[in-house]
Amino acid sequence: MGSETKRGASSGRGGAGGPRVSRRAMLIGGGVAVAGAGGLLARDELGKLWWQVPGVAKPRKEGELDHPGAEWTAASSANWRLADRPDDYRIDRVIIHVVQGSYPVALKVFKNPGHGAATHYVVRKDGHVAQMIRELDVAFHAGNRSFNERSIGIEHEGFVDRPQDFTAAMYAGSARLTAGICARYGLPVDREHIIGHVEVPGTDHTDPGPHWDWDRYLTLVRRARAEVGRKSA
């Protein structure tokens, strides 16, 4: 699990009765300001900063889920930052983690503002899923800022050196979760788009470790992805 400094953000609105500032208006106005300042920021960078401006925060509901059937339990706001993915950052990766501990421990540390990291989801050995951060927001989980911005992190209960921790129920529950993510963002079910924390550039982590069965997992994800496709047809 990586960490990085959280940038401040405001979700305030304009004055009472005043119009809400639109993202488009802010970006156009910002583009004019930047052009006048000699082009200090590229226009695409402005699109990534929109959520910092008062009045443009995307409406969200406390406890709203991206994965049906998950349990909402919020991570500390110090361990993630507001965004509007995939509008500001394209999502092209799912990153698999292993806690090196229990499910309750994972929830506890991700709720701790001093921890500096959290994943979007935590999967228990029985397949139960907790969502701690909305998918539209950036979780500090990969130890690499670019990968944080473009990925969704899934933590799994257990230890990398204990293959018995990776139960059939855990694989199945996690596979359904990853299949839904792949369906939402149009991701292929392969090892380029579903990776381990160990594969993130610059990381010093080894999870999910040598006992994580990638062939088994991808087979389950493909099966679950096909089921999602049948239900949406």
Side-chain angles (χ1 to χ4, degrees):
M1 293 171 286
S3 64
E4 61 188 73
T5 302
K6 179 177 180 288
R7 292 186 289 177
S10 170
S11 61
R13 297 174 181 266
R20 183 181 176 86
V21 180
S22 73
R23 180 183 179 188
R24 178 176 174 81
M26 187 281 292
L27 292 179
I28 292 173
V32 171
V34 168
L40 296 178
L41 289 175
R43 185 177 293 268
D44 63 340
E45 286 300 308
L46 286 170
K48 297 176 182 179
L49 298 175
W50 73 271
W51 51 267
Q52 292 183 324
V53 177
V56 297
K58 190 170 187 176
R60 58 190 71 206
K61 297 177 182 177
E62 180 68 25
E64 192 168 21
L65 296 169
D66 296 297
H67 180 64
E71 169 195 1
W72 175 260
T73 178
S76 168
S77 60
N79 298 331
W80 58 275
R81 65 173 168 82
L82 287 169
D84 187 17
R85 303 188 309 167
D87 288 346
D88 47 4
Y89 300 104
R90 182 171 61 94
I91 294 173
D92 65 4
R93 293 288 189 282
V94 175
I95 299 180
I96 302 299
H97 302 257
V98 172
V99 176
Q100 290 298 89
S102 68
Y103 175 85
V105 164
L107 300 190
K108 180 179 180 180
V109 298
F110 292 165
K111 290 174 178 290
N112 178 2
H115 184 62
T119 53
H120 294 89
Y121 296 100
V122 181
V123 183
R124 204 164 59 194
K125 288 181 185 178
D126 63 0
H128 177 75
V129 176
Q131 181 166 6
M132 304 195 74
I133 301 167
R134 290 292 309 278
E135 290 178 6
L136 75 167
D137 294 322
V138 174
F140 305 154
H141 67 101
N144 177 306
R145 180 170 178 170
S146 174
F147 274 70
N148 283 345
E149 291 171 345
R150 66 200 290 191
S151 68
I152 292 172
I154 304 176
E155 195 76 64
H156 295 80
E157 181 178 26
F159 294 84
V160 297
D161 58 350
R162 291 176 38 163
Q164 65 269 28
D165 289 347
F166 305 143
T167 65
M170 174 184 282
Y171 275 123
S174 179
R176 288 190 294 271
L177 171 59
T178 296
I181 293 167
C182 290
R184 281 190 287 282
Y185 304 106
L187 306 185
V189 179
D190 58 32
R191 288 286 282 113
E192 178 182 351
H193 298 87
I194 304 170
I195 67 173
H197 193 181
V198 65
E199 297 169 86
V200 175
T203 187
D204 60 356
H205 288 249
T206 63
D207 55 314
H211 300 298
W212 183 263
D213 190 336
W214 282 107
D215 289 339
R216 176 184 184 182
Y217 187 64
L218 290 181
T219 296
L220 290 170
V221 175
R222 292 187 184 107
R223 189 177 302 161
R225 176 68 182 87
E227 181 64 24
V228 171
R230 284 193 293 270
K231 289 180 178 179
S232 61

